[in-house]
Amino acid sequence: MLHLAVMPYRLHFRKPAPTSRGILTTRTIWFVHAWRSEAPEQVGWGESGPLPGLSRDGSEEFGLRAKQFCAQFNDAHFDSIDEAQQWVQQAIWDFPALAFGAEMALRDLHTGAQRRWWNTPFTRGEQALPTHGLIWMDDIDGILQQIETKIAAGFTVIKLKIGALPFDQELALLRTVRNAHPDVEIRLDANGAFSPAEALDRLDALAPLKIAFVEQPVQTGMWGVLADLCRCSPVPIALDEELIAIRSPEERDALLSIVRPQFLIIKPTLLGGFAASEDWIAEAEMRAIRWIINSLLESNLGLNAICQWTSALGGAQIHGLGTGGLFTNNPPSPLTLNGNCLQIDPSLPWQLPDLAETDA
């Protein structure tokens, strides 16, 4: 019989991390464990890490709800992993981070509990996976220094947050970067910072800088405004936070059909896991909408799984995957960063926390 359990783990940032939702110094995640009663020594691992203020299930009661979820799962007495995964999928709309962790743990158990969720050239250490260079919020000099460091390290795609500084300063900064690096791809995330009245003018101002896309230019819920922007903007529009509030396949299909964005930002932690994310991708491709996969401050466990899944999907686009270097107590893994590429080194072992001592 299959069992699930969750255990909290507190990640500590190497330095305070400024985000659009405040400065983070710690982050609590929950490791999800899956095992069979007849072989309890073989444990599949998953990770649930809702982000308060962003995730649909990011409330203070998440730990209690996760334990209740596991109790309900255990009471169902599943023997088939396929049946168990179908049950887990029922939670994707209300508890996406929890569904993500449970799906990951069950898949790990199914594939041998070796943290090889997919078998691809990347997971075997034969191919690398390029990623973007994420630029953290800072003052102008700090942002420019980060950009130069990333480009010197080999990154060909950089992503910046905009909206925290006066727009004329951000525009001047972007002109400086574009003039110095004409071939670097620049992606922007506005986090809803533009008002509906000013959004198109600001997108027009960004157009000469060859911006790849702007994520979430206005606040969520403004489908009509977004639809107009996606139709008229000279810069492609990507939806990110807009996806979080969707609670049914019908609502998802309506959003994509009405707004018609040029890109979707796919974050499995926010959308309910891999199967749910693949549903978003399938619906996007039916409408000729492109997509980029992004991680979301996962530990090395969740990051490895997302990278492996990304490699299994294939495609030539460069995604927004973390590098594992943000936390002082990130469980060591075989994932390494070489230049702008993530790669698995099979000679490096996993060093996962003790099952009884995960509240670090």
Side-chain angles (χ1 to χ4, degrees), residues 162-234:
I162 58 172
L165 300 174
F167 184 68
D168 59 341
Q169 293 182 28
E170 294 177 329
L171 199 59
L173 179 150
L174 291 167
R175 289 195 186 106
T176 298
V177 175
R178 176 52 74 215
N179 290 335
H181 304 286
D183 297 324
V184 168
E185 180 175 316
I186 300 175
R187 301 171 179 175
L188 301 178
D189 185 358
N191 284 121
F194 300 165
S195 73
E198 70 190 2
L200 188 57
D201 287 341
R202 292 194 170 187
L203 291 164
D204 285 338
L206 291 168
L209 302 176
K210 298 189 295 182
I211 303 301
F213 57 76
V214 174
E215 293 180 31
Q216 205 65 48
V218 297
Q219 290 292 324
T220 60
M222 301 180 180
W223 289 16
V225 174
L226 279 169
D228 289 342
L229 290 176
C230 291
R231 187 176 66 254
C232 300
S233 172

Side-chain angles (χ1 to χ4, degrees), residues 152-166:
F155 287 88
T156 60
V157 178
I158 58 172
K159 177 180 174 180
L160 299 86
K161 303 280 187 179
I162 58 172
L165 300 174

Side-chain angles (χ1 to χ4, degrees), residues 8-11 13 26-30 48-52 62 359:
Y9 187 81
R10 187 170 296 110
L11 292 163
F13 285 85
T26 64
R27 167 160 162 70
T28 299
I29 61 173
W30 282 260
S48 292
L51 202 62
F62 180 84
D359 191 8

